[in-house]
Amino acid sequence: MLETIKDALPQLVALRRELHNHPELSCAEARTATVVAESLRALGAEVHTGIGGHGIVASLHGSGPGPAVALRADMDALAIVEQTGLPYASGNPGTMHACGHDGHMVMAIGGAMHLARTRQFRGTVHVIFQPAEERFGGALRMIEDGLFDRFPVERVFGLHNWPGLEAGAFVVHDGPVMAGTGEFGVVFTAAGGHAAMPHTTGDPVLAGSLFVAGVQQIVARAVDPLQAAVVTIGSFQAGHAQNIIADQAVLTGTFRAHRPALLMQIAQRLQDIAGAAATMAGTGARMRIEGPLTAPVVNSVAEAALMRQAVTTLFGTEALRVLPPSMAGDDFGCLLAHVPGAYIWIGNGAGTDSAPLHRANYDFNDAILGRGASVLARVAELALGG
């Protein structure tokens, strides 16, 4: 662990718990952004706010001219009722940092702290704090608001905590890391009517059921078996009584793949199945693919090697582990669609040491703050000749 970060660990832990106690949902990270910006200004960084919503870029200049690289952390929380019982548990009812973004922010701040104090690099490090990772495409919002026009970079790096992996171990993938994602919703409508007279109306419940069954064949029969993809229906809402044919059925879900072209193929297939189900059940159908598709996270080989070097120079090869890519998504992939980079996993704890992500009993492991911050700082130095 870098000494500058080790010395600051009590301060970093306190900041992480303060952020955990005040979580904010996607696109609502106003207080979070204020706290982060104040922490960065205290380091002497040039702080730029309000990018793509509540996004922040902190610019740190090295000992001389050179290229620029970026480090990225996500900021938003989830709509989950926390059940940890911790003294610093969420003070915002129904909102919780259940994915560790509180820890990601503080690791990026810790990395920035080291870089600001040592300046052992040439060029510029832009530390990006991105809102709305969980929903609403915060990375794309920042890009559309001029992120890479105002702060051009040659490489971008980031990390994510990973429950199930022993605390402080690292996984660096060559190629796919996490899936690209899309969300969908479909509404089937009909006149509705008496359950004893089904011939007088179309049946949205039947249409929804046919849609559910049809969706199951997308991955099984329309996707190359050697490609990774998943389609999941998360909600099916219809009707209110046993003797009434409902006039509406609403279904929502998500789809994921490691290739952008496959995401587009699945989106089209969903629309085709919705239309066919409506025809068979005699209903109308309104199908929507919600928002832009999130690009898959795919590491560039050279940047993955640099990230692996950062880990091994700090903690040795024994800190590295091997895991397959995940079908979970992260819109870090939108950044990688513009510049090469690498996204790594740091273990949050194995077995009972860490609850899974997006669970009401999850908590970020403060013991890994120093290791994560050190790797972020070190990969920036390596990328800039430090």
Side-chain angles (χ1 to χ4, degrees):
M1 187 185 306
L2 296 169
E3 285 301 318
T4 50
I5 293 172
K6 184 177 181 180
D7 293 342
L9 277 178
Q11 175 185 347
L12 295 176
V13 169
L15 178 59
R16 203 285 295 184
R17 295 183 178 188
E18 198 273 340
L19 289 170
H20 187 91
N21 184 235
H22 297 88
E24 294 173 304
L25 296 175
S26 303
C27 300
E29 309 92 340
R31 184 188 184 280
T32 301
T34 297
V35 172
V36 169
E38 289 174 352
S39 298
L40 295 165
R41 290 191 183 101
L43 303 178
E46 295 177 8
V47 179
H48 312 268
T49 61
I51 304 169
H54 295 295
I56 297 170
V57 174
S59 300
L60 297 164
H61 303 292
S63 58
V69 300
L71 306 175
R72 176 270 203 174
D74 34 22
M75 302 167 67
D76 51 336
L78 288 153
I80 294 177
V81 177
E82 182 164 354
Q83 298 177 12
T84 63
L86 294 166
Y88 53 85
S90 172
N92 296 338
T95 305
M96 175 190 176
H97 270 301
C99 200
H101 295 185
D102 48 347
H104 300 167
M105 286 184 280
V106 173
M107 286 190 287
I109 290 170
M113 181 182 297
H114 169 81
L115 295 169
R117 290 177 178 174
T118 59
R119 309 281 175 167
Q120 294 177 351
F121 61 93
R122 298 179 66 84
T124 302
V125 180
H126 297 301
V127 190
I128 300 168
F129 293 83
Q130 180 210 307
E133 189 281 321
E134 297 290 354
R135 298 291 308 278
F136 311 116
L140 185 58
R141 287 172 180 242
M142 291 190 76
I143 291 168
E144 291 177 342
D145 200 21
L147 174 65
F148 290 134
D149 296 323
R150 296 173 59 186
F151 311 98
V153 298
E154 294 186 355
R155 293 164 157 170
V156 60
F157 301 96
L159 53 70
H160 202 294
N161 78 97
W162 209 249
L165 177 65
E166 61 197 88
F170 296 89
V171 174
V172 184
H173 296 85
D174 290 316
V177 182
M178 301 173 80
T181 67
E183 295 180 349
F184 64 88
V186 59
V187 181
F188 296 105
T189 56
H194 200 297
M197 303 174 187
H199 59 291
T200 65
T201 179
D203 189 341
V205 173
L206 174 59
S209 300
L210 292 169
F211 180 75
V212 171
V215 162
Q216 308 313 308
Q217 60 76 39
I218 295 178
V219 175
R221 287 295 178 265
V223 173
D224 182 341
L226 299 180
Q227 298 293 332
V230 64
V231 185
T232 296
I233 294 173
S235 69
F236 187 154
Q237 299 171 346
H240 63 278
Q242 78 279 6
N243 61 347
I244 299 173
I245 296 175
D247 61 1
Q248 179 175 278
V250 181
L251 296 89
T252 64
T254 181
F255 56 103
R256 293 145 190 270
H258 284 147
R259 292 174 49 242
L262 184 51
L263 282 174
M264 296 297 294
Q265 177 187 341
I266 294 172
Q268 183 59 56
R269 195 75 171 189
L270 285 165
Q271 294 177 18
D272 294 343
I273 293 170
T279 298
M280 294 174 68
T283 72
R286 299 194 308 273
M287 179 75 190
R288 67 187 188 280
I289 304 298
E290 298 179 346
L293 301 182
T294 299
V297 179
V298 182
N299 283 349
S300 306
V301 173
E303 282 64 38
L306 202 63
M307 188 67 93
R308 196 175 288 111
Q309 182 183 353
V311 171
T312 57
T313 56
L314 288 168
F315 306 114
T317 56
E318 61 271 21
L320 292 172
R321 301 291 184 273
V322 177
L323 288 176
S326 171
M327 296 308 294
D330 191 301
D331 68 357
F332 188 82
C334 293
L335 305 180
L336 294 179
H338 288 76
V339 294
Y343 198 53
I344 72 166
W345 297 343
I346 178 172
N348 198 59
T352 59
D353 291 337
S354 176
L357 301 172
H358 292 214
R359 292 280 185 89
N361 62 335
Y362 166 87
D363 187 35
F364 181 88
N365 187 347
D366 288 329
I368 70 173
L369 280 172
R371 291 172 75 91
S374 295
V375 166
L376 288 175
R378 188 61 185 138
V379 75
E381 291 176 336
L382 290 172
L384 296 175

